[in-house]
Amino acid sequence: MSDRRMVSTPYDCVVAHASHALNSGMGECTDLTAEDSSNLIEEIATSGNRQAFALLFRHFAPRLKAYLRRLGAGDTLAEELAQEVMLTVWRRAAQFDRRQAGASTWIFTIARNKRIDAIRRDRWPDIDPEDPALIPEPLQAADKTVEAGQREALLRKAVTTLPVEQSTLLRLSYFEDKSHSAIAEELNLPLGTVKSRLRLALARLRTMLEDVQ
Amino acid sequence: MVQHPAPDELLLDYATGNLAEPVALLVASHLTLAPESRREVRDLEAIGGALLEEMEPASMSEDALDSVLARLGEHVPESFEAGEPGVPAGPPSGDAAKIPAPLRALVGSDLSSLPWRERGGSVAECDILRDAPGYRTRLLWIKAGAKVPTHTHGGREYTLVLQGSFSDESGRFGRGDVEVADAEVTHRPVAGSECDCICLAVTDAPLRMTGPIGRLLNYFIDM
């Protein structure tokens, strides 16, 4: 077993790890670590590996469907869109850059754009990383460039430590298609309070990120 | 480095997808020019990613995976296609390097060829995204040193500077800067003297001119 570990590629490990989860009664939904997910996307990009795609699908499609339903899509539409998002993951895997974004962040942005395209029939204006007009970021020290996945994991932990009133507002911003003033109305709070609580939440998350850098 | 980045709540609304297309267009164009804001949006998107991971998984229909697997063949991963599509054909021309891609997709890279309408000699405007309900989206071209008529807003006005600069009561705004003006703000922007100022302006209600000439202009504003 340990011999096999030593010669295996990261992908084999991911498959072994995730397949184990599959076979041990996890049902149709796998749990992948952030590292697993990034490896699988890269595997799709380099070799078009369908098994890697299937593992990602089992992990993300049910979560995407839940996210889309939460935002008001009916069951059929949510399922359709979740499938479309995963097809986009397959097609654009080569654009994934783990230094820029963690796997779930990248997939979240694809879902956000797809939802808007489909439900509002708007085209979501997105930045183009190849845009000649793009002002590049200042160069960072090498130890700070490999941090996207790590930042994502930290944020995931940090979000759970927010005071309830802040995390509620944050979740509403992400999961209900509502402006701040609509949220304020729904919670019966002044708009200023909603804004300042959100600002506090974001400032707190930012401090937590900076503390570990 | 931009002096006036878009406010936090605007970046949050962008990251969560809670903006109408005209405002999202303005924010995406700002992000192209403001790496600090881009970094912030990336963190906000990472929160979205973290919340997505936390979602209680919904059950997919039984054949969902099989039917998607069957469709993979129609969707060739982009890296396997001949001639990397993401790579631009040649070096960017001077104009392409000026206008952020999200806006360029709508208006092209030669702004002088657009159907500008003059507004009192030193200001010209050109409407875009006319089909977005509830919003008015315009490019504004203000001659160097010219004053824009004093105005307030029924709703909110978002302005992104693409070229040159303007100054008003809240400060000086240069390329990449965003000003968000509420209904309470009455302002009188003046373009910098260094060159003509070009802005992308989005209002969610018609402007109201307040000066004597402005009041006259109100007659024409919705022509």
Side-chain angles (χ1 to χ4, degrees):
Chain A
M1 183 69 193
S2 57
D3 281 346
R4 184 177 143 61
R5 279 268 159 91
M6 285 183 62
V7 294
S8 64
T9 63
Y11 168 66
D12 287 333
C13 285
V14 170
V15 173
H17 172 234
S19 305
H20 173 73
L22 264 180
N23 296 333
S24 58
M26 293 291 298
E28 59 180 24
C29 180
T30 36
D31 273 319
L32 300 174
T33 66
E35 183 71 21
D36 288 344
S37 303
S38 299
N39 290 341
L40 290 171
I41 298 173
E42 286 178 354
E43 189 61 32
I44 295 173
T46 51
S47 65
N49 188 307
R50 287 169 171 248
Q51 200 186 349
F53 177 81
L55 289 169
L56 268 181
F57 186 96
R58 288 200 172 95
H59 180 77
F60 281 105
R63 289 173 171 84
L64 286 166
K65 184 175 175 182
Y67 162 70
L68 292 158
R69 281 218 321 229
R70 187 80 191 264
L71 277 156
D75 202 77
T76 315
L77 181 60
E79 171 127 0
E80 243 175 64
L81 284 174
Q83 296 187 15
E84 287 298 322
V85 172
M86 292 311 296
L87 281 169
T88 305
V89 167
W90 168 259
R91 222 172 39 237
R92 300 225 189 113
Q95 287 173 20
F96 173 68
D97 178 354
R98 69 201 301 162
R99 290 164 308 173
Q100 294 287 319
S104 52
T105 300
W106 185 63
I107 293 175
F108 166 78
T109 58
I110 294 175
R112 172 195 68 193
N113 300 1
K114 272 267 180 286
R115 174 180 75 85
I116 294 165
D117 290 350
I119 296 176
R120 291 206 217 137
R121 306 196 188 282
D122 270 1
R123 207 187 45 87
W124 186 250
D126 211 347
I127 45 172
D128 172 4
E130 308 287 340
D131 186 357
L134 194 86
I135 311 269
E137 282 179 53
L139 285 177
Q140 297 213 339
D143 59 331
K144 287 197 175 179
T145 52
V146 205
E147 60 179 352
Q150 216 185 332
R151 277 174 95 78
E152 193 178 284
L154 282 167
L155 277 167
R156 206 161 143 187
K157 212 182 286 171
V159 167
T160 62
T161 70
L162 288 175
V164 181
E165 77 270 13
Q166 289 175 19
S167 73
T168 307
L169 275 182
L170 203 59
R171 272 162 227 272
L172 282 177
S173 306
Y174 282 86
F175 292 132
E176 309 218 349
D177 196 3
K178 282 185 178 137
S179 67
H180 295 127
S181 42
I183 291 176
E185 224 163 86
E186 184 180 306
L187 298 178
N188 212 1
L189 287 169
L191 180 59
T193 310
V194 168
K195 281 190 182 173
S196 63
R197 276 189 196 166
L198 275 172
R199 242 176 256 147
L200 276 176
L202 297 179
R204 195 175 160 129
L205 293 175
R206 209 168 295 139
T207 320
M208 285 190 234
L209 280 177
E210 277 157 14
D211 282 351
V212 293
Q213 274 174 18
Chain B
M1 184 170 156
V2 302
Q3 298 300 311
H4 301 274
D8 276 353
E9 56 279 14
L10 199 54
L11 297 180
L12 178 64
D13 280 341
Y14 180 84
T16 56
N18 285 334
L19 290 176
E21 187 178 359
V23 189
L25 169 72
L26 183 135
V27 175
S29 303
H30 164 68
L31 293 177
T32 303
L33 303 176
E36 309 81 13
S37 297
R38 217 153 62 222
R39 191 174 165 81
E40 194 169 328
V41 164
R42 216 155 52 213
D43 280 345
L44 293 169
E45 289 170 345
I47 296 174
L51 294 173
L52 177 65
E53 285 283 355
E54 270 188 14
M55 291 300 308
E56 184 66 37
S59 63
M60 300 287 287
S61 62
E62 256 174 50
D63 60 348
L65 176 56
D66 288 339
S67 74
V68 171
L69 283 173
R71 289 172 63 196
L72 290 187
E74 313 156 19
H75 298 265
V76 183
E78 283 168 8
S79 59
F80 299 151
E81 286 170 5
E84 306 261 316
V87 180
S93 77
D95 284 338
K98 278 187 205 150
I99 304 168
L103 182 60
R104 208 162 64 232
L106 292 172
V107 300
S109 49
D110 179 14
L111 293 188
S112 61
S113 69
L114 294 174
W116 294 92
R117 293 182 309 163
E118 275 207 25
R119 287 273 181 209
S122 52
V123 182
E125 63 177 33
C126 173
D127 282 271
I128 56 176
L129 282 182
R130 285 161 166 277
D131 53 354
Y135 289 88
R136 182 152 189 225
T137 313
R138 292 172 300 166
L139 287 169
L140 292 175
W141 188 317
I142 310 157
K143 289 260 159 64
K147 296 184 172 87
V148 177
T150 308
H151 61 276
T152 64
H153 316 97
R156 215 172 285 173
E157 182 184 45
Y158 306 85
T159 311
L160 167 70
V161 180
L162 297 166
Q163 176 191 302
S165 70
F166 72 81
S167 299
D168 66 11
E169 293 75 358
S170 334
R172 180 185 178 276
F173 294 80
R175 177 164 160 89
D177 282 335
V178 171
E179 181 175 44
V180 182
D182 281 325
E184 305 92 64
V185 180
T186 300
H187 64 165
R188 174 155 215 201
V190 182
S193 55
E194 70 279 13
C195 63
D196 289 358
C197 175
I198 300 178
C199 299
L200 173 65
V202 179
T203 42
D204 56 11
L207 297 184
R208 284 196 309 270
M209 302 293 181
T210 50
I213 301 174
R215 272 197 287 275
L216 186 66
L217 281 176
N218 281 338
Y219 278 106
F220 303 103
I221 203 136
D222 289 317
M223 276 169 59

